[in-house]
C-alpha cells in the first residue's frame, strides 16, 4: 500500500507522456522504460514487505504451542486452522492510540476481543476474546487509574460472543469451537466478587454457517442466535428450539433482539431490514414468530443496525454509503409503517457496526479501524476517531446512561466520552429553556445545563487512563 502514491505519480506521468507524444518509436521506448521502472518499484515494495510477515508469525507460533499444551493435545483440526489464521494476524508491536475523547483503555485480555455487552443494571461490561476468557469490568471505575476485571474461563474453547441475562446475574456465550450457546451463572461471593459456573450442558448444535450474533430478550422469554446463511433460531432458556426463521436475504450480515425484548431484526445482502415479533400467549407459552415491519429505503445491502433503548428508533448503515434514522414507534398491527427521519452520507465497509446512544441523540459507525460519531438530529459529523484499534473493529456500544462509547478490535477495549451526547443534550435543554414559561422550570433547566456542561468540561479535561 505504501507504494500507491508512487504508482499514482508514475501513472500520471505516463498519461502526460501519452498526450504529448505521438505513439512513435521514441515514445514507445520511453514508455517501455517507465514500465520497467514501475515493475521494479512494485517488486521492491512487495519484497520489502516480506520480513514484516515473517516477524508476525513468530509470536503466533509460540501462542499456538502454549495453547496446544494447555489443551493437552485435544486441539482439533479446526482449532489449528484458526490458530494459523490468527497467527498471521497477530501484531508483535503494541498499537498506540490517543484522542482527547479517550476516557480509558481496558487492558487484560491476551487475545483479540470480539464482543462487548453492558449489563442492564449498568454496573458491568462483559468482553470476550480468543484467550479463552470472558472478563467482567466494573463501569464505575472506567475513570479510575486501575481497571480491575473478573475473569471467567471458557474451558477447552473460547467465546466469540457474550450477552448478559436481563437480571445481570448470568451471561450467555457463543462457543467458537463448540458452535453453540453456553450459559454461565455469576454467583456472588461474600467479598462482592463472583464465581462463574457454566451450565451443565451446552445448547445443541444447530447452525450450519458461521455465527453472527446472539441475544437474550429483556423479558427473559427467549434467546436468539443468527448465522451468516439466512437462519435465525429462537430458543427457550433451557436450550429447546422454539422457532427457526428464514430471513430470505441471501446472506445475513447482522441480527439482533430489540431492547424491549419483543422483536428480532435482521439485515443482509438485500436492502431491507426485516423485523419480526416473537409472540407469547397470555400464559407465557411461545406462540409464533410473526412478521412485524420492514425498513425500506436503502438502495444496497445493509451492514448492520441498532435500536434506541426503548426500541422507538432504529439506525441502519448500508453499502449505499449512507446511514438512516427511523421512527419505529408505530402500531404495525394497524398497518402503520415505520418512517424515515434522516439519511446521512457516511463511510462504511463490510463488517461496519452502528450504535445508537440510549437517548437516540448520537449515532456511532465503525469502518475498518475508524469510528465516526454523528448528531442524530442534525446529521452533523461530530467526531472522527482514526486507528482506534490495530485491526477491524468488532463491536461498538454505548453504555446504558449514554456517557460512554466502547469499542473492540484488538486486545484493548477503548472507552470514549460521549461528548457529542453531552453537547446534544445541552442544545436540547437550551431550546426548552427558550420556550419555558414558568420560573421554576427555567431554573431547573439552567441547573441541568450547568451540570451537563461541567460534566463535559471535566470529561475533556481528564487525561485518559
Ligand atoms: C433510555 O435512556 C435514557 C437516557 O439514558 C433514560 O432516561 C431512559 O430511562 C432509558 N429508557 C429505557 C426504557 O431504558
Amino acid at each position: 500500500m505504501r507504494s500507491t502514491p508512487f504508482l499514482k505519480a508514475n501513472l500520471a506521468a505516463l498519461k502526460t507522456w501519452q498526450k504529448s507524444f505521438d505513439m512513435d518509436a521514441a515514445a514507445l521506448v520511453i514508455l517501455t522504460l517507465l514500465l520497467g521502472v514501475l515493475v521494479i518499484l512494485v517488486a521492491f515494495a512487495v519484497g520489502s514487505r516480506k520480513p514484516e510477515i515473517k516477524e508476525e508469525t513468530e509470536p503466533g507460533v509460540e501462542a499456538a504451542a502454549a495453547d496446544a499444551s494447555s489443551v493437552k493435545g485435544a486441539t482439533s483440526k479446526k482449532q489449528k486452522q484458526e490458530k494459523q489464521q490468527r497467527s498471521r494476524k497477530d501484531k508483535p508491536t503494541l498499537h498506540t492510540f490517543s484522542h482527547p475523547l479517550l476516557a480509558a483503555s481496558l487492558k487484560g485480555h491476551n487475545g483479540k476481543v470480539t464482543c462487548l455487552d453492558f449489563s442492564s443494571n449498568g454496573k458491568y461490561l462483559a468482553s470476550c476474546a480468543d484467550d479463552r476468557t470472558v472478563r467482567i469490568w466494573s463501569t464505575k471505575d472506567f475513570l479510575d487509574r486501575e481497571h480491575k476485571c473478573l475473569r471467567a474461563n471458557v474451558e477447552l474453547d473460547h467465546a466469540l460472543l457474550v450477552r448478559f441475562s436481563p437480571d445481570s446475574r448470568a451471561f450467555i456465550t457463543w462457543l467458537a469451537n463448540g458452535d453453540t450457546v453456553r450459559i454461565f451463572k455469576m454467583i456472588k461471593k461474600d467479598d462482592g466478587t463472583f464465581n462463574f459456573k457454566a451450565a451443565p450442558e451446552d445448547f445443541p448444535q444447530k447452525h450450519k454457517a458461521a455465527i453472527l450474533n446472539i441475544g437474550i430478550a429483556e423479558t427473559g422469554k427467549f434467546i436468539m442466535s443468527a448465522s451468516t446463511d439466512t437462519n435465525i433460531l429462537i430458543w427457550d432458556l433451557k436450550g429447546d428450539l422454539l422457532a427457526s426463521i428464514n430471513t430470505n436475504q441471501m446472506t445475513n450480515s447482522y441480527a439482533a433482539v430489540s431492547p424491549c425484548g419483543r422483536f428480532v431484526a435482521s439485515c443482509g445482502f438485500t436492502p431491507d431490514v426485516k423485523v419480526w415479533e416473537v409472540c407469547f400467549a397470555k400464559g407465557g407459552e411461545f406462540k409464533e414468530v410473526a412478521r412485524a415491519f420492514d425498513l425500506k429505503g436503502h438502495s444496497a445491502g445493509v451492514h448492520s443496525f441498532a435500536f434506541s433503548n426503548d426500541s422507538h428508533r432504529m439506525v441502519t448503515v448500508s453499502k449505499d454509503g449512507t446511514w438512516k434514522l427511523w421512527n419505529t414507534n408505530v402500531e404495525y398491527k394497524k398497518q402503520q409503517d415505520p418512517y424515515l427521519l434522516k439519511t446521512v452520507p457516511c463511510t462504511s465497509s463490510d463488517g461496519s457496526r452502528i450504535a445508537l446512544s440510549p437517548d437516540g441523540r448520537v449515532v456511532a459507525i465503525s469502518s475498518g479501524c475508524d469510528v465516526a460519531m454523528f448528531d442524530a438530529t442534525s446529521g452533523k459529523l461530530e467526531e472522527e476517531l482514526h486507528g482506534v484499534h490495530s485491526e477491524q473493529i468488532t463491536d461498538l456500544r454505548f453504555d446504558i446512561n449514554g456517557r460512554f462509547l466502547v469499542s473492540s478490535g484488538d486486545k484493548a477495549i477503548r472507552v470514549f466520552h460521549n461528548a457529542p451526547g453531552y453537547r446534544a443534550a445541552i442544545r436540547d435543554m437550551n431550546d426548552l429553556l427558550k420556550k419555558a414559561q414558568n420560573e421554576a422550570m427555567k431554573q431547573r433547566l439552567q441547573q441541568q445545563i450547568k451540570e451537563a456542561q461541567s460534566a463535559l468540561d471535566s470529561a475533556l479535561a481528564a487525561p485518559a487512563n
Side-chain angles (χ1 to χ4, degrees), residues 120 218 257-261 306-314 328 355-361 398-402:
S120 52
E218 204 51 32
V257 181
S258 67
C260 60
F307 293 91
S308 63
N309 66 354
D310 55 8
S311 309
H312 289 177
R313 295 281 185 279
M314 280 179 79
T328 50
L356 182 59
S357 65
D359 58 12
R361 285 187 171 112
F398 285 95
D399 77 311
I400 69 154
N401 301 307

Side-chain angles (χ1 to χ4, degrees), residues 120 164-168 170 172 183 203 215-224 234-240 242 257-263 278 280 284-286:
S120 52
F164 275 109
S165 66
D167 64 5
S168 310
I172 62 170
I183 300 184
F203 281 21
I216 312 188
E218 204 51 32
T219 54
K221 285 183 180 160
F222 68 91
I223 286 173
M224 176 224 68
I234 306 295
W235 314 76
D236 68 14
L237 269 51
K238 296 197 295 284
D240 289 325
L242 298 175
V257 181
S258 67
C260 60
R262 253 177 90 188
F263 303 110
V278 183
F280 292 83
E285 63 274 17
F286 171 73

Side-chain angles (χ1 to χ4, degrees), residues 285-413:
E285 63 274 17
F286 171 73
K287 222 169 78 188
E288 60 173 348
V289 175
R291 280 297 288 278
F293 52 84
D294 291 349
L295 305 180
K296 287 173 180 290
H298 280 297
S299 58
V302 175
H303 296 302
S304 71
F305 59 83
F307 293 91
S308 63
N309 66 354
D310 55 8
S311 309
H312 289 177
R313 295 281 185 279
M314 280 179 79
V315 282
T316 50
V317 60
S318 162
K319 281 192 170 81
D320 68 12
T322 66
W323 63 264
K324 288 178 186 283
L325 173 70
W326 310 79
N327 184 335
T328 50
N329 185 20
V330 293
E331 291 195 55
Y332 75 88
K333 283 178 182 157
K334 294 183 184 162
Q335 269 66 55
Q336 287 179 359
D337 285 323
Y339 51 95
L340 183 62
L341 296 170
K342 196 120 208 113
T343 299
V344 179
C346 69
T347 307
S348 72
S349 48
D350 281 342
S352 269
R353 292 311 179 97
I354 190 165
L356 182 59
S357 65
D359 58 12
R361 285 187 171 112
V362 182
V363 178
I365 296 169
S366 72
S367 178
C369 306
D370 306 335
V371 177
M373 294 174 87
F374 296 86
D375 183 287
T377 316
S378 68
K380 185 171 165 262
L381 175 61
E382 292 270 330
E383 300 285 348
E384 285 181 290
L385 312 166
H386 291 291
V388 175
H389 295 279
S390 60
E391 290 178 54
Q392 184 177 45
I393 290 172
T394 51
D395 212 349
L396 192 63
R397 282 177 183 263
F398 285 95
D399 77 311
I400 69 154
N401 301 307
R403 291 174 64 209
F404 301 110
L405 174 72
V406 298
S407 66
S408 58
D410 44 32
K411 292 177 185 178
I413 299 161

